[in-house]
Amino acid sequence: MAVLYNVEPFKAMKILYQGAVDGFPEEDFARNEKERGIVLPQMLKRFLADYGYMTVNRLSSSVRMLHPNIMTRRVFRYGGDRELPLLILGRVGAFQVAISNEHAPDPEIFLLKQTPEQICILPSDDTVSEILKVMVCGVLLKCEGAEIVNDPQLAVRRLKENDVDLLKIPFEPRLRREYSICFSEELRTFTAAEFVNGELERFFFVRSEKFIAVK
């Protein structure tokens, strides 16, 4: 067996949940598409259909995707008379997450923040799949035996223990923050590397697939 590098969010969730799914029913998507014109990118629809009610989407109140019933469309004005139509999908921290291109396979996101004077709209290099990575890493850190390692010497030791080659961990240096997830098929362990501004920041190591119960 091998170490899988650059594990995509859906693969990681399938491993973590051992194939179990619990998401929003198809009727909800169909009704919102027909009555409200809410057509979701296939990647996001798949995520919500499989995992909308699971811990990956409800573990944290600060990072989550909305039910299509409460997703909203808004048109913002910028640069004078130009208009920017956005579909608000969820929340990351103090920001709402929105997209403008619903037909893209992996749409880039916009971050919206309400201030007393106005709504700030921040373009982002992140995409929907990057937000899903953040959510997966949030779940990993709630697993039994999860460990955060900042110390370089300890990190090297933990990497060797988990059969992970640091030089094989891919990342996208253009992103301000990037997570790269690895999985050892033999040891059944996850290793996630966090990069900030192209520099390695820390590692997460998870030695168990059992979740800490979240009420």
Side-chain angles (χ1 to χ4, degrees):
M1 293 188 179
V3 173
L4 305 178
Y5 292 88
N6 195 29
V7 178
E8 294 302 317
F10 286 100
K11 175 68 173 178
M13 287 184 283
K14 184 175 181 180
I15 294 169
L16 281 168
Y17 290 120
Q18 300 177 37
V21 295
D22 184 13
F24 305 149
E26 175 60 34
E27 310 88 79
D28 291 345
F29 297 106
R31 184 180 64 256
N32 279 282
E33 181 174 345
K34 180 179 179 180
E35 298 177 1
R36 303 174 62 225
I38 303 293
V39 181
L40 300 181
Q42 283 301 310
M43 176 187 296
L44 180 59
K45 182 178 178 181
R46 176 187 169 196
F47 168 75
L48 293 175
D50 286 350
Y51 304 107
Y53 288 123
M54 300 188 79
T55 48
V56 69
N57 197 42
R58 65 176 178 83
L59 194 62
S60 169
S61 59
S62 63
V63 183
R64 67 188 310 167
M65 294 295 175
L66 300 173
H67 190 285
N69 287 353
I70 52 178
M71 290 181 181
T72 55
R73 291 185 180 281
R74 294 188 63 181
V75 177
F76 298 91
R77 293 191 177 278
Y78 73 107
D81 295 331
R82 288 181 292 179
E83 294 184 342
L84 178 63
L86 294 177
L87 174 62
I88 298 174
L89 306 173
R91 178 168 294 278
V92 174
F95 295 90
Q96 291 179 312
V97 175
I99 58 173
S100 63
N101 184 357
E102 299 159 35
H103 302 290
D106 188 12
E108 292 188 350
I109 64 170
F110 291 81
L111 300 176
L112 312 179
K113 188 173 184 180
Q114 180 80 52
T115 69
E117 297 80 20
Q118 62 180 349
I119 294 181
C120 297
I121 304 176
L122 306 176
S124 172
D125 291 331
D126 286 339
T127 62
V128 169
S129 65
E130 292 300 322
I131 297 298
L132 298 186
K133 276 189 189 180
V134 172
M135 297 169 79
V136 169
C137 286
V139 172
L140 290 176
L141 289 174
K142 294 295 183 180
C143 292
E144 294 179 4
E147 181 182 10
I148 300 175
V149 177
N150 298 295
D151 177 74
Q153 291 184 334
L154 179 58
V156 169
R157 187 158 71 246
R158 290 287 185 266
L159 288 169
K160 290 181 178 179
E161 292 171 356
N162 290 278
D163 296 337
V164 175
D165 184 344
L166 176 61
L167 298 179
K168 292 183 179 180
I169 298 177
F171 71 101
E172 178 51 71
R174 71 177 179 83
L175 298 177
R176 187 186 68 82
R177 187 178 302 273
E178 161 79 346
Y179 295 92
S180 186
I181 302 171
C182 309
F183 180 70
S184 170
E185 294 181 302
E186 181 176 0
L187 301 175
R188 307 298 293 175
T189 59
F190 280 96
T191 299
E194 180 181 4
F195 297 85
V196 178
N197 295 323
E199 298 292 332
L200 186 59
E201 185 79 3
R202 58 182 179 169
F203 292 95
F204 310 147
F205 296 96
V206 181
R207 294 176 177 77
S208 172
E209 294 175 19
K210 294 182 180 179
F211 289 108
I212 297 174
V214 179
K215 301 298 184 182

